[in-house]
Amino acid sequence: MTDCLFCKIVARQIPADIVLETGRALAFRDVNPQAPTHVLVVPKAHHENAAALAAADDGLADDLLTACHAVAVQEGVAEPGYRVVFNTGTGAGQTVFHVHAHVLGGRSLTWPPG
Ligand code: 5GP
Ligand code: ZN
């Protein structure tokens, strides 16, 4: 997708603070962090949201979750715990329509989220 912000980050056309790269996923720090650790994990392939990613049915969603956990371990937040969030749709606050997992940790996380 030529006009997608996260496709441009994947293509290194826009800079980002990349923390992990796998064969099919890229993880970089959120520019507006909501927690001491706030990393976005995206598939390199463009899918609009989590539903489209799941429908692709090629194991990519599995790879993405595996990458999320790897980020949490690398960031030192796997213990005591971290949160993985997929905002899906404008009503849930999705603003970038290239699916991304928010990996949040490093502080106590309240439930339910706002
Ligand atoms: P959403 O609201 O779609 O769930 O999440 C989009 C996230 O992307 C937001 O948390 C926002 O701070 C982050 N973001 C927006 N533009 C950029 C950017 O250019 N670089 C990085 N690293 N993060 C961005
Ligand atoms: Zn994209």
Side-chain angles (χ1 to χ4, degrees):
M1 266 230 175
T2 52
D3 204 26
C4 170
L5 175 63
F6 289 171
C7 280
K8 287 178 179 167
I9 287 177
V10 168
R12 310 302 207 268
Q13 290 167 5
I14 291 177
D17 185 357
I18 293 168
V19 299
L20 184 84
E21 180 169 18
T22 69
R24 298 208 284 174
L26 190 72
F28 49 91
R29 297 194 192 285
D30 195 296
V31 79
N32 182 24
Q34 302 302 311
T37 291
H38 187 174
V39 173
L40 302 175
V41 186
V42 307
K44 293 179 179 177
H46 182 92
H47 295 280
E48 185 171 331
N49 56 31
L53 176 67
D57 197 26
D58 60 355
L60 188 54
D62 301 11
D63 285 7
L64 200 69
L65 281 181
T66 300
C68 288
H69 185 63
V71 165
V73 170
Q74 186 175 297
E75 292 285 310
V77 299
E79 297 293 340
Y82 63 96
R83 185 167 291 163
V84 177
V85 175
F86 290 90
N87 293 330
T88 306
T90 52
Q94 187 176 4
T95 58
V96 179
F97 291 87
H98 178 133
V99 63
H100 49 281
H102 297 255
V103 175
L104 297 150
R107 65 168 168 83
S108 91
L109 297 163
T110 57
W111 189 261

